[in-house]
Amino acid sequence: MRDALAAEWRKLLGHTKAVAFLVWIYPIGALILVLLINILPGLFIEAARDLAVASPPLWTEDLLSVWNAMNGFPGGTFLRMPFLAFIATAFAGEYQWGTWKNIVPRQSRTTLILSKFLVLGFLMLLSLTLTSLVVTGGGWLQTLLVDVPYGPALSEVDVATYLQGLLMQVFVTFVGTLIVAAYAALIAMYSRSIIASLLLSVGVSILEFSASLLLLLVSQVLQKPEMVNVVVGSPTYNLENVRSWVVDGVGSNFGGFPGFTAVLPMWASLLILLAWLVGLLGGTALLFRRQDINS
């Protein structure tokens, strides 16, 4: 397994352009935004400095901001699209370039597919961790420029509780990324085309969001508002619900959808997410084991 992980890591990083534009775009984009929003205004605009003094950034919020955004609804659906494009390239490229034929005889198919999922998930987490550090570093530099403390002080923070919430957000992001990767992998196995996998994977992500809106419309037309409670089985709702419990201390009402009453406890959402993850990864591995890669 270790050899498969190392080989997959080298292979994925070998797609330099795809990695640069679809993975490292997150920390690079965050760096540009930090310069434009935090640093440059603080250097040249008096009103921006006064605003920073009146309402200074907090490291506790900055460190969580990226993870909140990725797990939020519906914004997280669209923020994951560059990752989706990279995942589609990673899986469909194996078919399009004919590389599976050279790799499969040397390794177990289950090991190969799981190693690809794990490396992809780790690469996404690394990118988002760097992005979070860039945002936090930008907040720290901003407070230095206006000579205010970058609070709160550690003595004012329940560090254990804060770290638990942060790690839960990272875990949910990892699970959500692997679920998205499984969608893309299944599509790639059937389409065997990078472009088709990319378009269809993005389409599936948008479809899940659109389906909730359609369900709302149907429930109103049929005058059965409780129908919207069906969304509690979707990964999107449960990702948002866990985020809401961690950040706000209450479950998500799914954007205030009329008729939505089935707010789940956090443990239930975690179980549903793990069930989706195990089912999708297991189904992908099973399909790959039975697939004729030579056809």
Side-chain angles (χ1 to χ4, degrees), residues 264-283:
L264 296 180
M266 186 166 67
W267 64 264
S269 282
L270 288 173
L271 285 179
I272 291 173
L273 286 172
L274 288 175
W276 271 99
L277 181 60
V278 171
L280 286 169
L281 293 185

Side-chain angles (χ1 to χ4, degrees), residues 115-130:
S115 64
K116 188 177 286 290
F117 276 120
L118 289 174
V119 171
L120 279 169
F122 177 77
L123 193 57
M124 307 306 171
L125 282 186
L126 177 60
S127 172
L128 294 176
T129 299
L130 292 174

Side-chain angles (χ1 to χ4, degrees), residues 91 113 117 182 185-186 189 279-289:
F91 279 100
I113 206 73
F117 276 120
L186 288 169
M189 287 181 181
L280 286 169
L281 293 185
T284 304
L286 182 62
L287 176 62
F288 186 58
R289 287 182 61 184

Side-chain angles (χ1 to χ4, degrees), residues 34-163:
V34 162
L35 289 173
L36 293 177
I37 297 174
N38 292 24
I39 308 304
L40 294 179
L43 288 173
F44 301 109
I45 303 175
E46 184 68 31
R49 290 196 291 270
D50 294 340
L51 181 61
V53 170
S55 181
L58 302 174
W59 64 265
T60 48
E61 295 180 0
D62 288 345
L63 205 56
L64 278 169
S65 60
V66 172
W67 309 102
N68 283 335
M70 294 301 296
N71 294 328
F73 174 83
T77 300
F78 299 98
L79 286 174
R80 292 175 189 269
M81 285 187 179
F83 282 160
L84 251 180
F86 184 70
I87 293 165
T89 301
F91 279 100
E94 301 281 12
Y95 294 96
Q96 197 162 315
W97 301 319
T99 48
W100 277 138
K101 299 175 184 178
N102 300 322
I103 303 171
V104 166
R106 304 175 186 176
Q107 287 279 359
S108 159
R109 290 196 181 196
T110 301
T111 300
L112 282 174
I113 206 73
L114 291 180
S115 64
K116 188 177 286 290
F117 276 120
L118 289 174
V119 171
L120 279 169
F122 177 77
L123 193 57
M124 307 306 171
L125 282 186
L126 177 60
S127 172
L128 294 176
T129 299
L130 292 174
T131 306
S132 181
L133 293 176
V134 168
V135 171
T136 306
W140 174 69
L141 286 175
Q142 185 181 25
T143 58
L144 284 182
L145 288 174
V146 297
D147 195 24
V148 295
Y150 191 32
L154 279 177
S155 58
E156 301 173 2
V157 178
D158 186 341
V159 177
T161 301
Y162 180 80
L163 287 178

